[in-house]
Amino acid sequence: MTAIALNHAAPRKLLRRLPDYLLLLALSFACVYPFLWTLGIAVGNGEQVFDFPSPLWPKDAGWRHFAAVWDAIPLGRFFWNSLWISGLTTLGTLAVSALAAFPLAKLRFRGRQAVFYAIIATLLLPSEINFISNYVTISRLGLDDSRLGVVLPSIAGAFGIYLMKHAFEEIPDEIVDAARMDGASDWQVFRRICLPLSLPYLATLGIFTLVWSWNVYVWPSVVLKTPDLYPLSVGVLYLKGAFATSTRMVAAGAVLTILPVLAVFALCQRYFMRGMDGAVK
């Protein structure tokens, strides 16, 4: 009787969850479709680019537009610039966010909450509002038209500080107090206890920062004037001519720009999900 009841319960449970699965499937398709559509345009060879409904995979698929992108622009140089800018931005963001979040989470000082609320308030401001002040600062430091000038204004953000503060607050105070009773300094508590226990959060913040810095366009285009310093997000626009544009080549360049980020996310997905699960809790 128990086995029969379980056999009847399983279909009912599946039916109750079916709307959720259908909704998730629809949302997944809505997120993936733009990339599939861009890939379909990149591999197509026909003249009709914007057919509707557009096939996800054209019958005359080929890879010649990817080779044409490689010949049209210095893709390797742009890739290296993106890797340099994104890597340094990610490392700087992790370091600054963790160092700023630790005293807000584990130290007690007057005005701690006011400082935290002031940092969170900056999330309400659009990032473009800081362009003028950041550009003036970078110019006076002599870092305009340099990759370091792109990186420095981007390594401190309210989201990273908030996420790491939440991560450090999840660490029991008893562990920190025990370490201090054993003679550990604040720096040792931060380096040997808080950072190792917050690796999933660091991985999540690192992926978010890497994706954002890899795809950012406006700030690098403002700071950089030398084409040899352009990242992929800026350099791929060389495929768009002044009088004629190959839409399929632009699509191929966009696909080549996205692929490294997808590879990083696939490799770090386990840490990303663990960090997001902790952040939601």
Side-chain angles (χ1 to χ4, degrees):
M1 295 295 294
T2 304
I4 296 175
L6 290 176
N7 290 335
H8 285 290
R12 289 198 299 267
K13 186 177 180 180
L14 181 61
L15 288 175
R16 286 197 302 268
R17 293 187 175 181
L18 184 60
D20 298 333
Y21 291 144
L22 292 177
L23 178 60
L24 291 175
L25 185 63
L27 292 175
S28 300
F29 181 76
C31 293
V32 174
Y33 180 78
F35 176 76
L36 296 178
W37 180 78
T38 305
L39 180 61
I41 292 178
V43 300
N45 293 315
E47 296 296 331
Q48 300 299 325
V49 176
F50 298 107
D51 287 342
F52 186 83
S54 176
L56 289 182
W57 194 261
K59 297 180 180 179
D60 55 348
W63 305 99
R64 65 184 183 89
H65 294 104
F66 292 92
V69 169
W70 186 271
D71 295 334
I73 60 176
L75 199 64
R77 185 180 304 159
F78 292 158
F79 178 83
W80 167 249
N81 291 334
S82 290
L83 189 64
W84 197 97
I85 292 172
S86 301
L88 200 58
T89 301
T90 302
L91 293 176
T93 299
L94 293 178
V96 171
S97 299
L99 289 170
F102 176 74
L104 293 174
K106 292 302 180 183
L107 302 182
R108 300 293 180 266
F109 57 91
R110 183 174 298 178
R112 179 169 63 99
Q113 291 298 328
V115 172
F116 176 67
Y117 291 144
I119 293 173
I120 295 300
T122 61
L123 289 173
L124 302 176
L125 302 175
S127 59
E128 290 79 6
I129 202 171
N130 298 319
F131 278 7
I132 296 177
S133 59
N134 286 339
Y135 185 78
V136 171
T137 303
I138 290 300
S139 297
R140 292 185 177 180
L141 292 174
L143 296 176
D144 54 322
D145 197 22
S146 69
R147 290 176 295 193
L148 193 59
V150 178
V151 171
L152 286 181
S154 307
I155 61 175
F159 173 75
I161 296 174
Y162 168 78
L163 184 64
M164 294 311 302
K165 179 178 181 293
H166 179 76
F168 294 151
E169 286 177 341
E170 284 197 345
I171 299 173
D173 291 334
E174 291 78 7
I175 298 178
V176 177
D177 294 337
R180 286 171 175 162
M181 290 180 63
D182 289 338
S185 63
D186 290 336
W187 172 251
Q188 290 174 324
V189 170
F190 169 74
R191 183 170 60 88
R192 296 185 178 181
I193 297 177
C194 291
L195 283 184
L197 294 177
S198 304
L199 287 180
Y201 288 88
L202 289 170
T204 301
L205 179 59
I207 293 174
F208 270 119
T209 305
L210 180 64
V211 172
W212 174 83
S213 59
W214 187 273
N215 294 322
V216 68
Y217 167 76
V218 178
W219 178 243
S221 64
V222 170
V223 175
L224 300 175
K225 303 296 185 295
T226 304
D228 288 344
L229 299 177
Y230 285 170
L232 271 174
S233 58
V234 180
V236 76
L237 289 185
Y238 272 105
L239 298 172
K240 186 176 182 180
F243 302 102
T245 300
S246 174
T247 304
R248 296 195 184 278
M249 284 185 61
V250 174
V255 171
L256 292 174
T257 303
I258 296 171
L259 286 179
V261 177
L262 292 179
V264 171
F265 180 79
L267 293 174
C268 303
Q269 183 179 7
R270 177 166 58 94
Y271 299 101
F272 176 78
M273 297 306 298
R274 286 175 58 189
M276 289 301 297
D277 181 63
V280 172
K281 292 180 180 178

